[in-house]
Amino acid sequence: MRPAILFPLFAETCTLPGVGPRLEKLIAQVAGPRLKDLIFDLPTGVVDRSYRPKLITAEAGRIATVTVNVLDHLVPRVRQQPYRVRCSDDTAMIELIFFHAHEDYLKKTLPEGSQRLISGRVERFNNKLQMPHPDYIVAPGEEFPLHEPVYALTENLPGKVLVKAIRGALEKVPALPEWQDPAYLKARGWPSFGDALRKVHAPVHEADLAPTTPERQRLAFDELLANQLALMLIREAMRAAKGRALKGDGRLKAKALAALSFTLTEAQNQALAEIEADMASPTRMLRLLQGDVGSGKTIVAMLALLGAVEAGTQGALMAPTEILARQHMAALEPLAEAAGVRMALLTGRERGASREATLAALADGKIDILVGTHALFSEDVAFRDLGLVVVDEQHRFGVHQRMTLQGKGEKVTDVLVMTATPIPRTLALTAYGDMDVSRLHGRPPGRKPVETRVMPATRLDDVVEHLRKAIAHGARAYWVCPLVEESEKIDLAAAEERAEELKRTLGSAVGLVHGRMKPAERDGAMEKFKSGEIQVLVATTVIEVGVDVPEATIMVVEHAERFGLAQLHQLRGRVGRGTGKSSCLLVYQAPIGETAKARLQTLRDTDDGFVIAEEDLRLRGPGELLGTRQSGQLEFRMADIAVHGELLAAARDDAGLILSRDPDLKSPRGDALRTLLYLFGRDEAVRYLRAG
Ligand code: ADP
Ligand code: MG
């Protein structure tokens, strides 16, 4: 249950004076539906009204506060013209300019002959001083704030309204019990939660907006601590669930290894040893296997699955898409055969009698390893005894969270998540802090470096010419045209046009795959590319090219500037898998800035996925990197992972210490920490605490 002390902050914004249904909607767009969302809506700027010049020295372009005498009103003769009010001090004149003015109102606020204090942006036009639409006009003695926070707005939501709403929300912040260690706060020089909030919303200088101020750090640390505590609580609960020790005898693994045409790399052996140790322990395995596309994760997963079978249980391998499930099946079936293990495929496409037969065999234990998509977790799928689940997340995130929660209370299975995105260490902590991590470092086995070139779209003709020659020698190429959400239709049309154009220049060996195609159509095109019937495959997204075609040696990416570095790195990983020399051409649409170009150069200079990921994080921030929209648990409002990495590590240590002393958060500080979890929306974790 949410602590009563937080009730005021969980009230809806329409409870604030002056906020009705219309404003409530607009406020929800920029901040959220509740008062707590308003207090966490950080200012993005500050208006400084402390510049108080005499008119003669007033600098154009600056916000100024000036004391003036109102001389006269110049009422426009036609509606299109602005209303002007002439004013002066003892040094110069200034004209106040109003469009769509209400004469009565202006006559009342700016009576001729009166003195007024006004504030707004000063401009110079035809060598005359002007101030269009002053922000404040008051009589001498009246006041307005000399420093105002600026917040991100949306259409029809006036800044002043949002400022007032946030101020109203701040007044409702109760005195909360301190959840941080007082000694730590003192050492860091951090204020209390309430003081930090009030300070953050009252910037005076630009510097006050920096994420490194004591108050911003304090709030970031609060959020990170909530995040780490929640992950640890979930992790503990997962592990406390009566796990089982799965210990294979190695006989199936030996057969599979003998059937491989290669030996495992050191990194693979290391990762496998870590996984096997987890499986053999009586606590539940929750492990993340990280490694670039093609780094050899799948074979490691297969050997782990064989271990589960050796131990007398079944295994499941879940892929994010139909096509990848089929690819895993095709790649692993020979190994299963060599080991004498029964393997089957189950996706949304298996229906009717064959599906029934698979389900029956599965329940009987006649299938040892099941490969498939989300369909594996349909309600009617029952294993005889599922020991290990491998989730191949590829480029997607957030699946494991659901998986682990799903498994709660049901039969306890070990879980191994594979991800092809080299996640920076800091991010791995926040996204996968509830998991142990194994990494497959180094260039994927058997990979040759891919020559990478960055060029403007004006040189597209050269690219096509290069392609034409390579095709003549039997090469195969990917040509990626990205879609952006806002203009998907236009982009898709562009991709179709590109495919047509390439067809004309190169002959008929061009195919197109895009996200709007039916899966069967898409698979058909992919098959043709695999078989060589299609030599150039124009594709619109990353996922469609998630297929292993060793013969492909050229990757062209149009609008490379629209992709993140990690995505480009993954795209590049699609080539350089076979014996041929491969190249990657990153074509950008000018104009792009220097930093954007530098980003692309990073890719040219390194092929270490982890280095690229760190760079990507630094340049773009975590939200974009991970596609926060799909994975709510990564959304931080106070913390900026790119800046607060050090705080994250500290929060992790702190969370560990807290839970080692007070695992059920029952002490007074534990109680305060529960409040913290609710405040930052991490209360899911509270469910895992024993009552009390
Ligand atoms: P990932 O799942 O990490 O994307 P895969 O497991 O699909 O990578 O491996 C990519 C390719 O490398 C596959 O063709 C696989 O057979 C091959 N491979 C895996 N491990 C090795 C190894 N140790 N030596 C040589 N080739 C390997
Ligand atoms: Mg793979």
Side-chain angles (χ1 to χ4, degrees), residues 384-426:
R384 187 181 59 80
D385 184 9
L386 183 61
L388 171 65
V389 177
V390 178
V391 182
D392 181 2
E393 281 192 3
Q394 290 288 342
H395 324 286
R396 298 180 182 188
F397 289 83
V399 179
H400 84 281
Q401 214 79 359
R402 239 182 306 142
M403 279 284 317
T404 50
L405 294 175
Q406 218 169 43
K408 199 178 112 65
E410 293 166 23
K411 221 180 257 177
V412 178
T413 54
D414 283 339
V415 176
L416 177 68
V417 177
M418 303 196 280
T419 172
T421 309
I423 311 165
R425 237 169 232 295
T426 43

Side-chain angles (χ1 to χ4, degrees), residues 610-655:
F610 289 100
V611 171
I612 289 168
E614 296 287 353
E615 185 68 5
D616 214 14
L617 173 66
R618 204 176 59 73
L619 292 170
R620 297 203 309 164
E624 257 189 279
L625 192 57
L626 295 182
T628 5
R629 261 172 303 175
Q630 290 103 285
S631 52
Q633 83 272 18
L634 288 175
E635 242 163 293
F636 289 113
R637 305 200 58 178
M638 298 293 112
D640 179 346
I641 299 299
V643 180
H644 297 131
E646 175 248 343
L647 292 183
L648 177 62
R652 184 173 175 77
D653 290 347
D654 208 12

Side-chain angles (χ1 to χ4, degrees), residues 14 28 73 94 108 141 173 240 276 281 339 399 452 490 687 690:
C14 64
H73 286 229
I94 188 167
K108 218 168 73 198
V173 175
E276 285 173 345
S281 93
V399 179
T452 303
I490 298 167
R687 287 198 292 122
R690 257 170 284 150

Side-chain angles (χ1 to χ4, degrees), residues 262-265 268 292-299 445 548:
F262 51 78
T263 52
L264 295 187
T265 63
Q268 284 172 316
D292 267 341
V293 167
S295 60
K297 296 182 294 297
T298 312
I299 182 68
D548 198 13

